[in-house]
Amino acid sequence: MRQAEVTFMIEELVKELALRLMGDRGMTMKQALDTIYNSETYTKLLDESIGLYSQSTAYVYSILETEILTGKLG
């Protein structure tokens, strides 16, 4: 997969995650994006060898939620 495609997939996931955080947790867009960009989940999204960027939004959101609730990845 080309780098541009991976980048697009990550950006789309971040957008969807932010929308879910805003809806589920009442965060502002800035809060949601700060939460995502400062998370270990986001670090894992950027690691192409893991391939998390190719998973569903629901799956990645569940990982992010676990991290938010526990302070660490599940």
Side-chain angles (χ1 to χ4, degrees):
M1 187 172 292
R2 292 183 311 178
Q3 186 59 45
E5 294 169 319
V6 172
T7 300
F8 176 77
M9 291 173 75
I10 292 169
E11 289 172 353
E12 284 298 304
L13 261 173
V14 167
K15 179 182 80 174
E16 294 299 321
L17 293 171
L19 290 171
R20 290 202 53 183
L21 287 173
M22 291 165 62
D24 293 353
R25 296 183 165 271
M27 292 182 177
T28 65
M29 184 183 298
K30 182 180 182 337
Q31 290 170 324
L33 291 173
D34 284 346
T35 299
I36 294 164
Y37 289 133
N38 292 306
S39 70
E40 195 172 330
T41 303
Y42 182 69
T43 301
K44 301 294 183 195
L45 267 178
L46 296 178
D47 186 342
E48 289 183 45
S49 68
I50 295 173
L52 189 58
Y53 66 87
S54 66
Q55 300 298 314
S56 71
T57 302
Y59 178 72
V60 178
Y61 186 72
S62 71
I63 294 170
L64 181 60
E65 268 199 314
T66 299
E67 183 179 355
I68 290 168
L69 294 173
T70 65
K72 58 186 173 196
L73 287 176

